Each structure stands twice: as C-alpha cells, then as structure tokens.
PDB file of all heavy atoms in Angstrom:
ATOM      1  N   VAL A   1       1.752   7.029  -0.358  1.00 98.00           N
ATOM      2  CA  VAL A   1       2.788   6.003  -0.315  1.00 98.00           C
ATOM      3  C   VAL A   1       4.175   6.648  -0.412  1.00 98.00           C
ATOM      4  O   VAL A   1       5.123   6.224   0.255  1.00 98.00           O
ATOM      5  CB  VAL A   1       2.576   4.963  -1.430  1.00 98.00           C
ATOM      6  CG1 VAL A   1       3.704   3.932  -1.440  1.00 98.00           C
ATOM      7  CG2 VAL A   1       1.228   4.254  -1.246  1.00 98.00           C
ATOM      8  N   GLY A   2       4.275   7.682  -1.237  1.00 98.00           N
ATOM      9  CA  GLY A   2       5.536   8.414  -1.307  1.00 98.00           C
ATOM     10  C   GLY A   2       5.922   9.008   0.036  1.00 98.00           C
ATOM     11  O   GLY A   2       7.106   9.011   0.415  1.00 98.00           O
ATOM     12  N   GLU A   3       4.933   9.483   0.762  1.00 97.00           N
ATOM     13  CA  GLU A   3       5.178   9.999   2.110  1.00 97.00           C
ATOM     14  C   GLU A   3       5.705   8.886   3.009  1.00 97.00           C
ATOM     15  O   GLU A   3       6.623   9.095   3.806  1.00 97.00           O
ATOM     16  CB  GLU A   3       3.867  10.569   2.666  1.00 97.00           C
ATOM     17  CG  GLU A   3       3.997  11.347   3.948  1.00 97.00           C
ATOM     18  CD  GLU A   3       2.669  11.947   4.372  1.00 97.00           C
ATOM     19  OE1 GLU A   3       1.652  11.216   4.386  1.00 97.00           O
ATOM     20  OE2 GLU A   3       2.640  13.147   4.699  1.00 97.00           O
ATOM     21  N   GLY A   4       5.145   7.688   2.867  1.00 98.00           N
ATOM     22  CA  GLY A   4       5.635   6.555   3.636  1.00 98.00           C
ATOM     23  C   GLY A   4       7.068   6.206   3.287  1.00 98.00           C
ATOM     24  O   GLY A   4       7.857   5.818   4.151  1.00 98.00           O
ATOM     25  N   CYS A   5       7.416   6.366   2.018  1.00 98.00           N
ATOM     26  CA  CYS A   5       8.777   6.060   1.570  1.00 98.00           C
ATOM     27  C   CYS A   5       9.778   7.134   1.989  1.00 98.00           C
ATOM     28  O   CYS A   5      10.989   6.933   1.849  1.00 98.00           O
ATOM     29  CB  CYS A   5       8.809   5.896   0.046  1.00 98.00           C
ATOM     30  SG  CYS A   5       7.985   4.413  -0.543  1.00 98.00           S
ATOM     31  N   ARG A   6       9.280   8.260   2.480  1.00 97.00           N
ATOM     32  CA  ARG A   6      10.165   9.302   3.021  1.00 97.00           C
ATOM     33  C   ARG A   6      10.245   9.252   4.541  1.00 97.00           C
ATOM     34  O   ARG A   6      10.987  10.016   5.152  1.00 97.00           O
ATOM     35  CB  ARG A   6       9.683  10.688   2.574  1.00 97.00           C
ATOM     36  CG  ARG A   6       9.800  10.944   1.092  1.00 97.00           C
ATOM     37  CD  ARG A   6       9.454  12.375   0.730  1.00 97.00           C
ATOM     38  NE  ARG A   6       8.036  12.683   0.918  1.00 97.00           N
ATOM     39  CZ  ARG A   6       7.096  12.465   0.011  1.00 97.00           C
ATOM     40  NH1 ARG A   6       7.418  11.933  -1.153  1.00 97.00           N
ATOM     41  NH2 ARG A   6       5.835  12.772   0.255  1.00 97.00           N
ATOM     42  N   SER A   7       9.493   8.341   5.147  1.00 97.00           N
ATOM     43  CA  SER A   7       9.436   8.265   6.599  1.00 97.00           C
ATOM     44  C   SER A   7      10.752   7.758   7.192  1.00 97.00           C
ATOM     45  O   SER A   7      11.439   6.914   6.605  1.00 97.00           O
ATOM     46  CB  SER A   7       8.307   7.325   7.025  1.00 97.00           C
ATOM     47  OG  SER A   7       8.296   7.154   8.429  1.00 97.00           O
ATOM     48  N   ASN A   8      11.087   8.281   8.361  1.00 97.00           N
ATOM     49  CA  ASN A   8      12.240   7.775   9.100  1.00 97.00           C
ATOM     50  C   ASN A   8      11.874   6.611  10.014  1.00 97.00           C
ATOM     51  O   ASN A   8      12.749   6.050  10.671  1.00 97.00           O
ATOM     52  CB  ASN A   8      12.867   8.902   9.929  1.00 97.00           C
ATOM     53  CG  ASN A   8      13.564   9.931   9.061  1.00 97.00           C
ATOM     54  OD1 ASN A   8      14.198   9.590   8.070  1.00 97.00           O
ATOM     55  ND2 ASN A   8      13.440  11.198   9.426  1.00 97.00           N
ATOM     56  N   MET A   9      10.585   6.274  10.059  1.00 97.00           N
ATOM     57  CA  MET A   9      10.145   5.117  10.846  1.00 97.00           C
ATOM     58  C   MET A   9      10.257   3.880   9.971  1.00 97.00           C
ATOM     59  O   MET A   9       9.568   3.762   8.955  1.00 97.00           O
ATOM     60  CB  MET A   9       8.713   5.324  11.329  1.00 97.00           C
ATOM     61  CG  MET A   9       8.566   6.446  12.328  1.00 97.00           C
ATOM     62  SD  MET A   9       6.862   6.637  12.960  1.00 97.00           S
ATOM     63  CE  MET A   9       6.051   7.347  11.514  1.00 97.00           C
ATOM     64  N   ARG A  10      11.103   2.976  10.376  1.00 97.00           N
ATOM     65  CA  ARG A  10      11.358   1.807   9.540  1.00 97.00           C
ATOM     66  C   ARG A  10      10.096   0.987   9.298  1.00 97.00           C
ATOM     67  O   ARG A  10       9.887   0.478   8.187  1.00 97.00           O
ATOM     68  CB  ARG A  10      12.446   0.932  10.171  1.00 97.00           C
ATOM     69  CG  ARG A  10      12.738  -0.322   9.376  1.00 97.00           C
ATOM     70  CD  ARG A  10      13.966  -1.041   9.860  1.00 97.00           C
ATOM     71  NE  ARG A  10      14.073  -2.355   9.227  1.00 97.00           N
ATOM     72  CZ  ARG A  10      15.138  -3.150   9.353  1.00 97.00           C
ATOM     73  NH1 ARG A  10      16.164  -2.780  10.076  1.00 97.00           N
ATOM     74  NH2 ARG A  10      15.151  -4.340   8.755  1.00 97.00           N
ATOM     75  N   THR A  11       9.244   0.856  10.312  1.00 97.00           N
ATOM     76  CA  THR A  11       8.027   0.068  10.129  1.00 97.00           C
ATOM     77  C   THR A  11       7.149   0.658   9.024  1.00 97.00           C
ATOM     78  O   THR A  11       6.593  -0.071   8.201  1.00 97.00           O
ATOM     79  CB  THR A  11       7.223   0.010  11.432  1.00 97.00           C
ATOM     80  OG1 THR A  11       6.992   1.348  11.921  1.00 97.00           O
ATOM     81  CG2 THR A  11       7.950  -0.785  12.491  1.00 97.00           C
ATOM     82  N   VAL A  12       7.031   1.974   9.014  1.00 98.00           N
ATOM     83  CA  VAL A  12       6.215   2.638   7.996  1.00 98.00           C
ATOM     84  C   VAL A  12       6.884   2.536   6.636  1.00 98.00           C
ATOM     85  O   VAL A  12       6.230   2.240   5.625  1.00 98.00           O
ATOM     86  CB  VAL A  12       5.970   4.112   8.384  1.00 98.00           C
ATOM     87  CG1 VAL A  12       5.299   4.866   7.241  1.00 98.00           C
ATOM     88  CG2 VAL A  12       5.116   4.190   9.643  1.00 98.00           C
ATOM     89  N   PHE A  13       8.194   2.766   6.600  1.00 98.00           N
ATOM     90  CA  PHE A  13       8.897   2.675   5.313  1.00 98.00           C
ATOM     91  C   PHE A  13       8.753   1.287   4.703  1.00 98.00           C
ATOM     92  O   PHE A  13       8.436   1.141   3.515  1.00 98.00           O
ATOM     93  CB  PHE A  13      10.378   3.015   5.469  1.00 98.00           C
ATOM     94  CG  PHE A  13      11.143   2.841   4.178  1.00 98.00           C
ATOM     95  CD1 PHE A  13      11.228   3.876   3.260  1.00 98.00           C
ATOM     96  CD2 PHE A  13      11.729   1.621   3.849  1.00 98.00           C
ATOM     97  CE1 PHE A  13      11.878   3.712   2.052  1.00 98.00           C
ATOM     98  CE2 PHE A  13      12.381   1.440   2.638  1.00 98.00           C
ATOM     99  CZ  PHE A  13      12.459   2.488   1.741  1.00 98.00           C
ATOM    100  N   GLU A  14       8.997   0.257   5.502  1.00 98.00           N
ATOM    101  CA  GLU A  14       8.916  -1.109   4.963  1.00 98.00           C
ATOM    102  C   GLU A  14       7.507  -1.439   4.490  1.00 98.00           C
ATOM    103  O   GLU A  14       7.331  -2.089   3.461  1.00 98.00           O
ATOM    104  CB  GLU A  14       9.382  -2.124   6.008  1.00 98.00           C
ATOM    105  CG  GLU A  14      10.876  -2.094   6.256  1.00 98.00           C
ATOM    106  CD  GLU A  14      11.364  -3.311   7.030  1.00 98.00           C
ATOM    107  OE1 GLU A  14      10.679  -4.356   7.001  1.00 98.00           O
ATOM    108  OE2 GLU A  14      12.435  -3.220   7.659  1.00 98.00           O
ATOM    109  N   ALA A  15       6.508  -0.981   5.216  1.00 98.00           N
ATOM    110  CA  ALA A  15       5.128  -1.249   4.802  1.00 98.00           C
ATOM    111  C   ALA A  15       4.813  -0.570   3.480  1.00 98.00           C
ATOM    112  O   ALA A  15       4.056  -1.099   2.656  1.00 98.00           O
ATOM    113  CB  ALA A  15       4.159  -0.770   5.882  1.00 98.00           C
ATOM    114  N   ALA A  16       5.404   0.600   3.252  1.00 98.00           N
ATOM    115  CA  ALA A  16       5.151   1.340   2.013  1.00 98.00           C
ATOM    116  C   ALA A  16       5.955   0.796   0.841  1.00 98.00           C
ATOM    117  O   ALA A  16       5.447   0.737  -0.290  1.00 98.00           O
ATOM    118  CB  ALA A  16       5.477   2.816   2.223  1.00 98.00           C
ATOM    119  N   ALA A  17       7.203   0.390   1.089  1.00 98.00           N
ATOM    120  CA  ALA A  17       8.128   0.130  -0.011  1.00 98.00           C
ATOM    121  C   ALA A  17       8.479  -1.331  -0.246  1.00 98.00           C
ATOM    122  O   ALA A  17       8.877  -1.690  -1.361  1.00 98.00           O
ATOM    123  CB  ALA A  17       9.431   0.914   0.226  1.00 98.00           C
ATOM    124  N   CYS A  18       8.380  -2.165   0.766  1.00 98.00           N
ATOM    125  CA  CYS A  18       8.890  -3.537   0.660  1.00 98.00           C
ATOM    126  C   CYS A  18       7.761  -4.555   0.485  1.00 98.00           C
ATOM    127  O   CYS A  18       6.668  -4.388   1.019  1.00 98.00           O
ATOM    128  CB  CYS A  18       9.691  -3.894   1.911  1.00 98.00           C
ATOM    129  SG  CYS A  18      11.146  -2.862   2.177  1.00 98.00           S
ATOM    130  N   ASP A  19       8.061  -5.597  -0.283  1.00 97.00           N
ATOM    131  CA  ASP A  19       7.156  -6.746  -0.432  1.00 97.00           C
ATOM    132  C   ASP A  19       5.824  -6.373  -1.061  1.00 97.00           C
ATOM    133  O   ASP A  19       4.804  -7.024  -0.825  1.00 97.00           O
ATOM    134  CB  ASP A  19       6.901  -7.412   0.933  1.00 97.00           C
ATOM    135  CG  ASP A  19       8.185  -7.813   1.635  1.00 97.00           C
ATOM    136  OD1 ASP A  19       9.136  -8.201   0.937  1.00 97.00           O
ATOM    137  OD2 ASP A  19       8.243  -7.724   2.870  1.00 97.00           O
ATOM    138  N   THR A  20       5.818  -5.325  -1.854  1.00 98.00           N
ATOM    139  CA  THR A  20       4.603  -4.843  -2.496  1.00 98.00           C
ATOM    140  C   THR A  20       4.912  -4.438  -3.937  1.00 98.00           C
ATOM    141  O   THR A  20       6.024  -3.958  -4.212  1.00 98.00           O
ATOM    142  CB  THR A  20       4.026  -3.629  -1.733  1.00 98.00           C
ATOM    143  OG1 THR A  20       2.960  -3.043  -2.498  1.00 98.00           O
ATOM    144  CG2 THR A  20       5.080  -2.557  -1.503  1.00 98.00           C
ATOM    145  N   PRO A  21       3.964  -4.599  -4.840  1.00 98.00           N
ATOM    146  CA  PRO A  21       4.192  -4.162  -6.217  1.00 98.00           C
ATOM    147  C   PRO A  21       3.917  -2.675  -6.433  1.00 98.00           C
ATOM    148  O   PRO A  21       4.003  -2.190  -7.557  1.00 98.00           O
ATOM    149  CB  PRO A  21       3.192  -5.014  -7.007  1.00 98.00           C
ATOM    150  CG  PRO A  21       2.049  -5.207  -6.059  1.00 98.00           C
ATOM    151  CD  PRO A  21       2.686  -5.342  -4.690  1.00 98.00           C
ATOM    152  N   TYR A  22       3.598  -1.948  -5.352  1.00 98.00           N
ATOM    153  CA  TYR A  22       3.145  -0.560  -5.536  1.00 98.00           C
ATOM    154  C   TYR A  22       4.196   0.301  -6.229  1.00 98.00           C
ATOM    155  O   TYR A  22       3.899   1.020  -7.189  1.00 98.00           O
ATOM    156  CB  TYR A  22       2.754   0.076  -4.198  1.00 98.00           C
ATOM    157  CG  TYR A  22       1.905   1.320  -4.406  1.00 98.00           C
ATOM    158  CD1 TYR A  22       0.522   1.256  -4.334  1.00 98.00           C
ATOM    159  CD2 TYR A  22       2.480   2.560  -4.721  1.00 98.00           C
ATOM    160  CE1 TYR A  22      -0.268   2.370  -4.561  1.00 98.00           C
ATOM    161  CE2 TYR A  22       1.707   3.674  -4.948  1.00 98.00           C
ATOM    162  CZ  TYR A  22       0.330   3.572  -4.878  1.00 98.00           C
ATOM    163  OH  TYR A  22      -0.437   4.686  -5.133  1.00 98.00           O
ATOM    164  N   LEU A  23       5.430   0.252  -5.757  1.00 98.00           N
ATOM    165  CA  LEU A  23       6.455   1.152  -6.305  1.00 98.00           C
ATOM    166  C   LEU A  23       6.733   0.861  -7.768  1.00 98.00           C
ATOM    167  O   LEU A  23       6.827   1.788  -8.590  1.00 98.00           O
ATOM    168  CB  LEU A  23       7.749   1.039  -5.489  1.00 98.00           C
ATOM    169  CG  LEU A  23       7.860   1.936  -4.255  1.00 98.00           C
ATOM    170  CD1 LEU A  23       6.767   1.626  -3.245  1.00 98.00           C
ATOM    171  CD2 LEU A  23       9.234   1.802  -3.607  1.00 98.00           C
ATOM    172  N   GLU A  24       6.859  -0.419  -8.131  1.00 97.00           N
ATOM    173  CA  GLU A  24       7.181  -0.728  -9.518  1.00 97.00           C
ATOM    174  C   GLU A  24       6.020  -0.423 -10.448  1.00 97.00           C
ATOM    175  O   GLU A  24       6.221  -0.197 -11.641  1.00 97.00           O
ATOM    176  CB  GLU A  24       7.631  -2.185  -9.661  1.00 97.00           C
ATOM    177  CG  GLU A  24       6.609  -3.228  -9.298  1.00 97.00           C
ATOM    178  CD  GLU A  24       7.133  -4.652  -9.490  1.00 97.00           C
ATOM    179  OE1 GLU A  24       7.982  -4.858 -10.377  1.00 97.00           O
ATOM    180  OE2 GLU A  24       6.690  -5.554  -8.755  1.00 97.00           O
ATOM    181  N   ARG A  25       4.804  -0.373  -9.918  1.00 97.00           N
ATOM    182  CA  ARG A  25       3.640  -0.086 -10.760  1.00 97.00           C
ATOM    183  C   ARG A  25       3.365   1.409 -10.908  1.00 97.00           C
ATOM    184  O   ARG A  25       2.949   1.868 -11.970  1.00 97.00           O
ATOM    185  CB  ARG A  25       2.392  -0.756 -10.188  1.00 97.00           C
ATOM    186  CG  ARG A  25       2.395  -2.265 -10.299  1.00 97.00           C
ATOM    187  CD  ARG A  25       1.035  -2.832  -9.927  1.00 97.00           C
ATOM    188  NE  ARG A  25       1.019  -4.292 -10.044  1.00 97.00           N
ATOM    189  CZ  ARG A  25      -0.082  -5.027 -10.007  1.00 97.00           C
ATOM    190  NH1 ARG A  25      -1.265  -4.438  -9.847  1.00 97.00           N
ATOM    191  NH2 ARG A  25      -0.020  -6.337 -10.114  1.00 97.00           N
ATOM    192  N   TYR A  26       3.600   2.167  -9.825  1.00 98.00           N
ATOM    193  CA  TYR A  26       3.081   3.536  -9.807  1.00 98.00           C
ATOM    194  C   TYR A  26       4.128   4.631  -9.603  1.00 98.00           C
ATOM    195  O   TYR A  26       3.798   5.806  -9.774  1.00 98.00           O
ATOM    196  CB  TYR A  26       2.005   3.660  -8.717  1.00 98.00           C
ATOM    197  CG  TYR A  26       0.876   2.685  -8.891  1.00 98.00           C
ATOM    198  CD1 TYR A  26       0.651   1.658  -7.965  1.00 98.00           C
ATOM    199  CD2 TYR A  26       0.025   2.760  -9.994  1.00 98.00           C
ATOM    200  CE1 TYR A  26      -0.385   0.755  -8.129  1.00 98.00           C
ATOM    201  CE2 TYR A  26      -1.011   1.851 -10.168  1.00 98.00           C
ATOM    202  CZ  TYR A  26      -1.208   0.860  -9.224  1.00 98.00           C
ATOM    203  OH  TYR A  26      -2.236  -0.035  -9.406  1.00 98.00           O
ATOM    204  N   PHE A  27       5.357   4.299  -9.238  1.00 98.00           N
ATOM    205  CA  PHE A  27       6.376   5.323  -9.012  1.00 98.00           C
ATOM    206  C   PHE A  27       7.127   5.623 -10.301  1.00 98.00           C
ATOM    207  O   PHE A  27       7.421   4.708 -11.090  1.00 98.00           O
ATOM    208  CB  PHE A  27       7.382   4.853  -7.956  1.00 98.00           C
ATOM    209  CG  PHE A  27       6.980   5.173  -6.540  1.00 98.00           C
ATOM    210  CD1 PHE A  27       5.648   5.292  -6.174  1.00 98.00           C
ATOM    211  CD2 PHE A  27       7.932   5.348  -5.563  1.00 98.00           C
ATOM    212  CE1 PHE A  27       5.274   5.583  -4.870  1.00 98.00           C
ATOM    213  CE2 PHE A  27       7.585   5.633  -4.254  1.00 98.00           C
ATOM    214  CZ  PHE A  27       6.257   5.759  -3.908  1.00 98.00           C
ATOM    215  N   ASP A  28       7.472   6.896 -10.502  1.00 97.00           N
ATOM    216  CA  ASP A  28       8.352   7.232 -11.619  1.00 97.00           C
ATOM    217  C   ASP A  28       9.789   6.899 -11.217  1.00 97.00           C
ATOM    218  O   ASP A  28      10.076   6.532 -10.066  1.00 97.00           O
ATOM    219  CB  ASP A  28       8.201   8.700 -12.034  1.00 97.00           C
ATOM    220  CG  ASP A  28       8.518   9.682 -10.905  1.00 97.00           C
ATOM    221  OD1 ASP A  28       9.313   9.356 -10.003  1.00 97.00           O
ATOM    222  OD2 ASP A  28       7.972  10.801 -10.940  1.00 97.00           O
ATOM    223  N   ASP A  29      10.711   7.019 -12.171  1.00 97.00           N
ATOM    224  CA  ASP A  29      12.089   6.590 -11.925  1.00 97.00           C
ATOM    225  C   ASP A  29      12.731   7.354 -10.767  1.00 97.00           C
ATOM    226  O   ASP A  29      13.431   6.766  -9.934  1.00 97.00           O
ATOM    227  CB  ASP A  29      12.936   6.768 -13.187  1.00 97.00           C
ATOM    228  CG  ASP A  29      12.566   5.780 -14.285  1.00 97.00           C
ATOM    229  OD1 ASP A  29      11.929   4.766 -13.971  1.00 97.00           O
ATOM    230  OD2 ASP A  29      12.906   6.043 -15.461  1.00 97.00           O
TER     231      ASP A  29
END
C-alpha cells in the first residue's frame, strides 16, 4: 500500500490512499 501511495498514477494512488481506513490504521506518522 505504501508503494501505491508513492505512485505517480493517480488511479493507483487514490485506490491506495483515499476513501479507505488503511492509512489511519496501519501507517506510521
């Protein structure tokens, strides 16, 4: 998921980072 959040492809970035609880649950600050 971190790899997705580093992607320059907006579709991939949004799927990884937006509208999901993943980052707030599993990412460090």
Side-chain angles (χ1 to χ4, degrees):
V1 177
E3 190 176 49
C5 290
R6 293 186 292 274
S7 176
N8 290 322
M9 293 183 287
R10 178 170 170 172
T11 53
V12 172
F13 176 87
E14 288 194 23
C18 298
D19 305 325
T20 171
Y22 197 97
L23 273 61
E24 62 179 330
R25 290 190 179 192
Y26 303 114
F27 272 28
D28 59 27
D29 290 342

